[in-house]
Amino acid sequence: MKNIRNFCIIAHIDHGKSTLADRLLEVTKTITERQMMDQVLDDMDLEREKGITIKSHAIQINYFQDGEEYILNLIDTPGHVDFSYEVSRALAACEGALLLVDATQGIQAQTISNLYLAIDNDLEIIPVINKIDMDGAMIEEVRDQIIELIGCKPEEILLASGRAGIGIDEILKAIVKRIPAPKGDPNAPLQALIFDSVFNSFRGIIVYYRIFHGTIKKGDKIKFVSTDLEYEADEVGILKLALDPKPEVKTGDVGYIITGIKNAKEVRVGDTLTLANNPHPEMIKGFEEVKAMVFAGIFPINTDDFGELRDCMDKLQLNDASLTYELETSQALGFGFRCGFLGMLHMEIIQERLEREFDQTVITTVPNVSFISYTTNGERIIVNNPTEMPDVVRIDRIEEPYIKAQIISKPEYIGNIMTLCLGKRGILINQSYLTTTRVELTFEMPLTEIVFDFYDKLKSQTRGYASFDYHPIGYRESDIVKMDILLNGDKVDALSALIHRGRAQEFGRKLCEKLKELVPRQQFQIAIQAAVGAKVIARENISAMRKDVTAKCYGGDISRKRKLLEKQKEGKKRMRQIGNVEVPQEAFLAVLKLDD
């Protein structure tokens, strides 16, 4: 055990985490030249294109130093804020972390939030300044930022370049020297932390874990503590680039187990693994259910494809247990699913994966968050969908989720950020200068305001210099109303939205204007209305297409023309009563892209 080191790399998006991991694997000859490619641990096409880690990976590195062999377990973590629970579980499985900071960009918001997670787990931090060979590298400035943030000595900060392979040996030596070996009792009952799971279509779910006490052997009867389910270990082993079966995995090591589980809901990240006949008395602390933050409806474009979409959602959930969904019907869109996502990036990724991996083109409704509604008789209703909102007369109060947002940027953009956040009902809590050129602003904001396009706007207001991170801080009472869109008096349920009363009129007006452009003209006039309860707050008319019925009258008495026009008027009236207005797919997508 004294030669095992478990570590991870924490960094903001695009600070070179995957590239550094590639170099570590290359220098230690963990992978052959033939297997080598960029972002070797990111095996999804989507991860390579977007340059982000979506699904975390783990790999074991064998490293020789001073005649001794060390086992280094690199537990890779996703960088994006949506996946922070996975990051926290991966950190709990380590004893140390490489804090990676880009020399050209300095410390960003997610670096700080992941650093705090690492400090909470008592990890040994090794600061590394990456990309030192680039033209815009500000090595001294970034070094000062790191010293101010974690209070280390200047000589403890390592300089490296993942792309050029500079400083990789120093990093490996620092991992062996500074990160403590795992502690644990090999003779105690088994206690292991599940930090990830992946689905394999042939073998079921493969569970990744880190053993704190005891040993796990092939053929053992094991138990998942939170679900109380028992299975037999068909195969155990360690994680190389491919799975490497072993007869047993010992204390302090990281490994995998295959038990033939086919249902993703039975394996939960953060759960404790133990033996069924000799269980460990304690569960590992910090386990919690992953909660969906953003909800949206996903519907097939053709209603006939619903069965196929359901199969695809089942398969996708096996790969991504944090996706939740339930059946939903809509008058406008037919059968579909109400899905819960960890955040907007998660939603975008699920949509992309449905299109790429399963060839499913889908319509996504307006994303919204979950509200809590209290009725006059004291009942508490969780509202994930505008249709679940109780009747206005029954509502006592409504609470909406709030978040604490951290924004780090250059001082010259403070005014723009303030205008944006205060316009989104934010409350400024704190403003502090990290250095003379970097300022951190902390806001408390409603999550509803962030769901749409907050991140894009923040980037454009600060020319891409701001970094943003958030975490939920609970629910607060708010004046939320349900806004309906009516076409000729009929509600289009897929366009309904839950929104703050102060923003309803402006949002309703924009939506009506957008729909006026997108809904095709008919032979009769169409009224587009936005309404809160019985009160119409915005209206647009789409004028009728008029056929020239008098074209065939050359001269003659005016009464002939009048008769034809009266007949047309009657026909239009009847048409309006029975006519249906088709809402094109673009209209649902347009709601997501309403420009301010």
Side-chain angles (χ1 to χ4, degrees):
M1 236 165 68
K2 70 177 180 25
N3 284 8
I4 295 176
R5 301 286 183 273
N6 297 320
F7 73 101
C8 62
I9 306 172
I10 51 179
H12 191 77
I13 296 169
D14 204 28
H15 277 208
K17 185 159 64 80
S18 296
T19 312
L20 182 72
D22 292 349
R23 292 296 87 74
L24 292 173
L25 300 178
E26 202 174 38
V27 168
T28 54
K29 305 216 167 16
T30 304
I31 49 175
T32 60
E33 278 182 38
R34 222 177 105 216
Q35 293 169 315
M36 190 61 219
M37 58 179 168
D38 284 347
Q39 288 174 261
V40 72
L41 294 179
D42 295 344
D43 52 10
M44 257 190 256
D45 292 343
L46 209 57
E47 291 182 312
R48 294 175 184 287
E49 278 173 33
K50 287 183 180 287
I52 56 173
T53 303
I54 295 166
K55 200 82 190 95
S56 55
H57 288 261
I59 191 163
Q60 192 172 95
I61 299 168
N62 293 69
Y63 173 61
F64 292 90
Q65 187 186 320
D66 304 332
E68 279 198 66
E69 184 185 4
Y70 290 91
I71 292 169
L72 313 179
N73 289 310
L74 165 59
I75 300 172
D76 195 15
T77 60
H80 200 275
V81 56
D82 285 4
F83 309 109
S84 59
Y85 177 65
E86 270 192 44
V87 176
S88 74
R89 297 299 82 209
L91 292 177
C94 301
E95 275 83 30
L98 297 180
L99 173 71
L100 201 62
V101 182
D102 185 334
T104 61
Q105 295 181 45
I107 286 173
Q108 310 264 301
Q110 270 166 321
T111 320
I112 294 180
S113 66
N114 284 351
L115 175 70
Y116 289 155
L117 278 176
I119 291 169
D120 286 346
N121 284 302
D122 291 333
L123 300 196
E124 177 64 39
I125 311 287
I126 300 176
V128 179
I129 299 177
N130 194 24
K131 305 190 186 179
I132 58 164
D133 58 329
M134 287 183 74
D135 295 340
M138 312 172 290
I139 298 170
E140 291 309 316
E141 198 177 314
V142 175
R143 186 181 272 147
D144 292 344
Q145 286 177 21
I146 294 174
I147 292 168
E148 203 165 313
L149 184 67
I150 58 175
C152 61
K153 297 189 179 82
E155 59 272 15
E156 288 174 5
I157 300 171
L158 304 176
L159 303 179
S161 166
R163 190 182 58 172
I166 302 165
I168 304 299
D169 285 332
E170 285 76 12
I171 291 174
L172 287 164
K173 282 174 187 159
I175 290 168
V176 169
K177 189 177 163 193
R178 294 201 219 166
I179 294 175
K183 299 178 180 70
D185 182 357
N187 303 316
L190 174 69
Q191 185 196 39
L193 169 74
I194 296 172
F195 63 84
D196 199 9
S197 64
V198 290
F199 177 71
N200 181 305
S201 44
F202 301 108
R203 315 202 59 183
I205 287 176
I206 302 168
V207 178
Y208 295 168
Y209 55 83
R210 146 80 199 272
I211 299 182
F212 284 98
H213 299 289
T215 308
I216 192 166
K217 295 188 178 74
K218 186 180 173 177
D220 277 348
K221 192 85 180 282
I222 58 132
K223 176 177 156 187
F224 294 98
V225 177
S226 76
T227 54
D228 218 22
L229 296 168
E230 296 181 5
Y231 297 95
E232 191 171 310
D234 299 337
E235 181 179 308
V236 298
I238 56 167
L239 299 151
K240 292 289 193 184
L241 196 56
L243 303 176
D244 187 1
K246 297 278 182 214
E248 63 176 16
V249 181
K250 297 179 177 154
T251 311
D253 218 339
V254 173
Y256 73 91
I257 180 168
I258 298 174
T259 56
I261 303 172
K262 290 283 190 288
N263 183 357
K265 291 191 178 77
E266 290 173 21
V267 178
R268 296 172 179 176
V269 170
D271 196 1
T272 304
L273 207 60
T274 188
L275 295 175
N277 53 7
N278 182 17
H280 197 279
E282 283 179 30
M283 188 175 177
I284 294 165
K285 291 184 181 67
F287 170 68
E288 57 183 75
E289 294 283 337
V290 181
K291 294 182 190 73
M293 300 286 282
V294 173
F295 296 86
I298 285 186
F299 294 87
I301 285 181
N302 297 327
T303 330
D304 306 345
D305 297 340
F306 172 71
E308 205 179 318
L309 179 64
R310 181 164 51 193
D311 294 343
C312 298
M313 294 296 279
D314 285 341
K315 286 176 187 162
L316 201 54
Q317 195 183 38
L318 289 171
N319 248 318
D320 186 350
S322 49
L323 168 70
T324 56
Y325 65 90
E326 57 191 44
L327 203 64
E328 182 181 49
T329 49
S330 154
Q331 291 163 351
L333 300 170
F335 287 106
F337 296 99
R338 188 84 193 155
C339 303
F341 307 99
L342 299 175
M344 289 303 280
L345 177 83
H346 190 212
M347 175 174 148
E348 196 184 311
I349 284 162
I350 294 293
Q351 224 174 321
E352 286 249 1
R353 286 182 70 182
L354 278 171
E355 283 193 20
R356 284 171 186 228
E357 294 171 30
F358 304 104
D359 230 11
Q360 288 284 325
T361 311
V362 292
I363 297 174
T364 311
T365 62
V366 188
N368 64 286
V369 301
S370 76
F371 299 92
I372 297 175
S373 171
Y374 292 91
T375 59
T376 44
N377 59 4
E379 196 184 346
R380 180 177 182 268
I381 301 168
I382 293 174
V383 182
N384 292 334
N385 185 345
T387 53
E388 295 168 4
M389 188 77 138
D391 208 15
V392 185
V393 291
R394 287 179 54 217
I395 296 173
D396 176 39
R397 67 181 193 280
I398 297 171
E399 292 183 352
E400 66 173 331
Y402 263 71
I403 57 155
K404 189 174 187 179
Q406 267 179 304
I407 298 169
I408 294 179
S409 183
K410 290 189 168 184
E412 58 257 40
Y413 301 118
I414 290 178
N416 294 2
I417 295 169
M418 291 274 204
T419 311
L420 175 67
C421 294
L422 298 176
K424 298 271 186 190
R425 297 192 284 133
I427 304 159
L428 181 66
I429 299 300
N430 190 15
Q431 175 180 336
S432 61
Y433 281 82
L434 301 172
T435 63
T436 49
T437 55
R438 301 180 76 72
V439 62
E440 181 185 21
L441 299 166
T442 310
F443 289 90
E444 284 181 0
M445 298 174 78
L447 182 61
T448 336
E449 302 289 345
I450 295 223
V451 162
F452 273 119
D453 49 4
F454 176 79
Y455 194 57
D456 298 343
K457 286 212 175 81
L458 179 68
K459 284 288 183 197
S460 59
Q461 296 277 6
T462 60
R463 301 193 185 163
Y465 276 114
S467 59
F468 169 68
D469 190 54
Y470 70 87
H471 55 90
I473 52 170
Y475 284 77
R476 295 181 187 178
E477 194 174 331
S478 190
D479 190 7
I480 298 292
V481 291
K482 179 185 173 190
M483 188 183 79
D484 292 308
I485 296 292
L486 298 97
L487 292 181
N488 276 352
D490 293 333
K491 286 182 186 175
V492 183
D493 57 352
L495 290 175
S496 296
L498 295 169
I499 192 162
H500 190 267
R501 194 184 293 275
R503 303 262 329 260
Q505 193 163 359
E506 177 201 0
F507 185 71
R509 193 174 64 248
K510 278 186 190 155
L511 198 46
C512 289
E513 285 167 6
K514 198 80 175 171
L515 286 171
K516 184 180 178 180
E517 294 168 23
L518 294 164
V519 174
R521 286 172 73 189
Q522 308 280 352
Q523 296 272 341
F524 53 91
Q525 188 187 33
I526 301 169
I528 303 169
Q529 294 167 308
V532 171
K535 185 183 175 189
V536 174
I537 54 172
R539 173 179 174 135
E540 291 285 338
N541 288 334
I542 298 176
S543 52
M545 286 194 291
R546 181 171 169 270
K547 190 176 164 188
D548 189 0
V549 285
T550 60
K552 59 186 179 211
C553 299
Y554 293 101
D557 190 9
I558 187 70
S559 59
R560 283 191 64 200
K561 287 186 180 178
R562 198 169 286 139
K563 185 180 160 194
L564 287 168
L565 290 168
E566 287 295 325
K567 193 176 170 190
Q568 184 187 36
K569 198 172 168 185
E570 283 300 311
K572 287 213 182 288
K573 199 170 164 186
R574 195 166 63 250
M575 212 179 209
R576 186 171 175 169
Q577 286 164 357
I578 59 167
N580 276 342
V581 183
E582 284 290 315
V583 183
Q585 185 199 339
E586 292 84 52
F588 298 105
L589 301 175
V591 182
L592 304 178
K593 297 187 173 68
L594 275 182
D595 291 322
D596 265 1

